[in-house]
Amino acid sequence: TIGFQRSGDEVKYCLEGSIFMTGAAIEWLEDMELIDDAAETADMARSVEGTDGVYLVPAFTGLGAPHWDGRARGTIVGMTRGTRKEHIVRATLESIAYQTRDVAEAMEADSGVETTSLRVDGGAVKNNYLCQLQADIIQTEIVRPVVDETTALGSAYAAGLAVGYWSDLDSLRENWQVDREFDVQMEQAEADRLYSRWDDAVERSLDWATEE
């Protein structure tokens, strides 16, 4: 996809992978009254040792990259009588990390470039538990910037470049500062085991919606 183009310069392209439900999946937890506030999710997820085999696929509007299935629908699998809301909350957070790994692996395959560090932004990255989970599932360092509202920051940078407030892109790079880095703490074999079951859960959500 087109990244950007400055006046007189060549077009800059980028790889883009769309995930339809990340922060919106947390909002769904609020809608279902499983949580009162998004800030609760980290403590609730930590309160249980795992999801107890529960996987949630937040395909409420279909699945984006790399599946591209508009007929996929939201699915929860693996529930038992022992399933509690904490397990579902944790499974929802894990689904964000699994979807990010889906996209990261697709990008690596297309580009031939191995991911060694992933810079993250947006409201969801304020959740330290989620950032650590992403580092573990993707098996790469996660880097969170001081300013995590990158879309708004990019618009401001574009305007500043246009009026000459900043002279070039290098001056913008100097503004970027790290808030926190999250290193991998999970063994590769365990991350792969959890991720393989995510693939099984996704398979059950595909092509669910039918047209009358």
Side-chain angles (χ1 to χ4, degrees):
T1 189
I2 293 176
F4 66 93
Q5 181 183 25
R6 295 184 63 195
S7 178
D9 290 347
E10 62 182 8
V11 177
K12 305 296 184 182
Y13 293 91
C14 62
L15 282 175
E16 178 183 28
S18 297
I19 300 173
F20 296 160
M21 289 286 167
T22 51
I26 306 302
E27 294 175 2
W28 175 80
L29 293 174
E30 292 187 57
D31 295 340
M32 296 297 291
E33 299 182 354
L34 294 173
I35 61 173
D36 294 321
D37 185 85
E40 298 177 11
T41 57
D43 287 340
M44 291 181 71
R46 291 191 187 99
S47 71
V48 289
E49 293 184 4
T51 66
D52 197 28
V54 174
Y55 280 78
L56 183 145
V57 183
F60 303 124
T61 57
L63 284 175
H67 310 287
W68 295 119
D69 186 347
R71 293 178 181 270
R73 288 295 178 265
T75 306
I76 303 176
V77 296
M79 290 193 298
T80 67
R81 284 288 301 275
T83 299
R84 309 201 319 261
K85 64 180 180 181
E86 288 83 0
H87 295 127
I88 296 176
V89 168
R90 180 162 176 153
T92 304
L93 290 179
E94 288 191 1
S95 76
I96 297 174
Y98 294 136
Q99 289 178 97
T100 305
R101 177 164 167 172
D102 282 344
V103 172
E105 290 194 349
M107 286 189 170
E108 286 182 340
D110 286 346
S111 67
V113 178
E114 181 181 359
T115 302
T116 57
S117 179
L118 184 65
R119 296 182 178 183
V120 297
D121 61 76
V125 305
K126 294 180 174 66
N127 188 321
N128 290 335
Y129 174 84
L130 175 59
C131 288
Q132 183 59 56
L133 183 64
Q134 286 195 317
D136 290 338
I137 296 300
I138 304 172
Q139 290 286 292
T140 190
E141 176 191 52
I142 297 294
V143 182
R144 182 174 65 198
V146 172
V147 180
D148 56 35
E149 295 300 337
T150 305
T151 302
L153 183 63
S155 298
Y157 279 163
L161 286 169
V163 300
Y165 186 83
W166 290 289
S167 58
D168 53 33
L169 297 179
D170 287 336
S171 60
L172 301 183
R173 295 187 181 97
E174 294 172 359
N175 287 339
W176 195 85
Q177 298 180 15
V178 175
D179 172 57
R180 182 171 172 179
E181 298 177 353
F182 298 83
D183 295 321
V184 178
Q185 297 180 359
M186 183 182 293
E187 294 292 334
Q188 176 81 54
E190 177 63 8
D192 290 345
R193 184 188 69 81
L194 294 171
Y195 183 62
S196 68
R197 291 297 280 165
W198 163 256
D199 285 338
D200 294 338
V202 168
E203 187 67 28
R204 285 158 173 76
S205 75
L206 299 177
D207 199 31
W208 182 263
T210 58
E211 295 179 356
E212 297 296 334

